[in-house]
Every structure is written in structure tokens, then in C-alpha cells.
Amino acid sequence: ETGVTQTPRHLVMGMTNKKSLKCEQHLGHNAMYWYKQSAKKPLELMFVYNFKEQTENNSVPSRFSPECPNSSHLFLHLHTLQPEDSALYLCASSQPGTRYGYTFGSGTRLTVV
Amino acid sequence: QKEVEQDPGPLSVPEGAIVSLNCTYSNSAFQYFMWYRQYSRKGPELLMYTYSSGNKEDGRFTAQVDKSSKYISLFIRDSQPSDSATYLCAMTAYSGGGADGLTFGKGTHLIIQP
């Protein structure tokens, strides 16, 4: 596989559930990102990891917990979410120090009921 | 004032027309500018990447950046129905060497009518 792969593609969860989103990149990049895309709003940066270290947490509620075990994998652990957290969650990767932009996965469509 | 302003549309044009999409921004530190195309149920796909002011052409696509006006544009020539998508502008100050998140516009929904 090439590019950035996200699983699952769709997820429906109750407000008391715990679930995890997974992202894997096969591009040899060292930076990975989580973005949230809601209807009629710009993509919102949530977390940034550079060489497995979290370098940015954009005031995200603690019910979202990221994990980056290595430069190729990124997880977003979810617990006690709210209906307003329903959105498309996008993972992206890039190579720091280059000018080649970011590569996005296809996203996980999350619905909180 | 929002950091990046982009008209969400929809913008509907006939096939073959020249399409003009644009964004304005307020942060003068931005110096790297990107355009992404996003089809329904897909992630954004990088179309154009420009640094500072000037023009960049790639096939039917031309990106323009005017930093003095804080205004960027994407032109699509000979538009095709397959160009129907949402177009997102994005930008970053990008210090180089680090990992910088992008600041996005809301996206413009473009419809090319056959």
C-alpha cells in the first residue's frame, strides 16, 4: 500500500463508548497530523507529531487522546464524546524541512449518538 | 476577522469555462500557500504549492499569490466535469525543519456543468 491509510472509514459510537482511529503512512514522512473537518467549517488542526514527539495540541478536549508509537503510525483514542464531535477526522503526513506539502488520508467519518 | 476567508459557493460554471477561485488572509507571516482538491468522501489532495508572491502554472491550473494584498487565487482553464469538487486553500508560515500545521479556508464547492 502507498500513501496514507485510515481505518475505519466509518464509525458510529455512543457517548459512553471508547474507540480508536488508526492512521498509517507509507511515505517515509516524519511528521503526522490529526485534523477535524466539520460541515461549513475550515479544517481544524488538532495534533502535530514530529519524529514521534507531540509538538502541538491545538486546545483539543481531553476526550481526544493521540498516540504516535513510531513515525509511520498515529492513533486517536476517543472516549465520552459528545454529538458535536461528529465529523470527518483526517490524518496527514509530511516531511519536515521539505516543501512538498501534506498528504492526507481519506478520513474516518465519525458519528456520535 | 477569520485568518483565512474563502467563499464556500457553490460556484457553478459551464464546461470549458475559466474558473477563478480565491482566498484572502490576515496573517502576514504566511509564506507557503497551497490549493487542495477534495472529492466527496475523500481526503484533500494537493494540487498546487507556491512560495511567497508570484505565479505557478501546472497544466490547466495556475496559482497566483499577492502577498501585498494578502490574496491568493487558483485559475482552472478549460474546466471539465471531473473538476467538480471542493477546493481548499491552505497556508503556513513554515519555519522549515519543523512540522507546521496548515491553516485552511472553508473550501469552495465547484460544479462544472456538462
Side-chain angles (χ1 to χ4, degrees):
Chain A
E1 274 201 67
T2 59
V4 178
T5 304
Q6 290 187 243
T7 55
R9 291 297 306 275
H10 301 274
L11 178 63
V12 179
M13 60 185 289
M15 289 189 284
T16 58
N17 291 159
K18 290 184 180 181
K19 296 285 185 184
S20 295
L21 310 184
K22 179 183 176 182
C23 175
E24 183 175 1
Q25 58 98 358
H26 305 270
L27 300 167
H29 291 167
N30 286 304
M32 297 187 77
Y33 312 80
W34 281 115
Y35 282 86
K36 177 183 179 182
Q37 188 173 34
S38 305
K40 303 193 186 306
K41 293 177 71 175
L43 270 77
E44 301 170 56
L45 178 66
M46 300 176 72
F47 301 104
V48 179
Y49 277 83
N50 192 15
F51 290 90
K52 300 188 301 176
E53 298 299 320
Q54 186 179 128
T55 58
E56 188 164 343
N57 174 338
N58 211 19
S59 302
V60 180
S62 60
R63 57 186 183 269
F64 295 90
S65 176
E67 179 189 1
C68 188
N70 54 61
S71 293
S72 299
H73 294 85
L74 185 64
F75 296 88
L76 188 62
H77 303 300
L78 316 171
H79 65 97
T80 59
L81 294 190
Q82 304 299 310
E84 59 264 28
D85 296 322
S86 299
L88 181 68
Y89 288 85
L90 290 161
C91 173
S93 69
S94 72
Q95 185 56 26
T98 70
R99 299 182 178 182
Y100 299 120
Y102 295 57
T103 303
F104 282 86
S106 292
T108 294
R109 174 69 62 183
L110 174 67
T111 303
V112 181
V113 296
Chain B
Q1 183 185 9
K2 295 185 178 61
E3 271 204 293
V4 179
E5 299 272 7
Q6 184 177 13
D7 185 342
L11 175 63
S12 183
V13 301
E15 182 176 355
I18 295 175
V19 176
S20 173
L21 305 168
N22 53 72
C23 290
T24 59
Y25 62 95
S26 58
N27 187 346
S28 58
F30 290 144
Q31 54 179 339
Y32 291 85
F33 304 91
M34 284 145 268
W35 285 95
Y36 283 83
R37 178 176 62 196
Q38 186 174 21
Y39 291 114
S40 180
R41 301 189 188 87
K42 295 285 189 180
E45 165 196 15
L46 182 65
L47 270 181
M48 300 288 283
Y49 189 118
T50 52
Y51 169 66
S52 193
S53 287
N55 292 359
K56 183 175 181 180
E57 188 173 320
D58 184 1
R60 297 185 295 112
F61 298 91
T62 299
Q64 286 186 352
V65 175
D66 181 349
K67 288 189 69 180
S68 62
S69 302
K70 297 190 179 69
Y71 187 91
I72 69 171
S73 300
L74 178 70
F75 297 95
I76 307 174
R77 291 183 298 280
D78 187 25
S79 55
Q80 306 293 313
S82 59
D83 295 326
S84 298
T86 296
Y87 289 79
L88 306 164
C89 64
M91 48 201 77
T92 180
Y94 194 65
S95 56
D100 296 288
L102 299 176
T103 300
F104 281 84
K106 287 184 180 181
T108 298
H109 183 204
L110 175 65
I111 301 168
I112 308 298
Q113 300 169 334

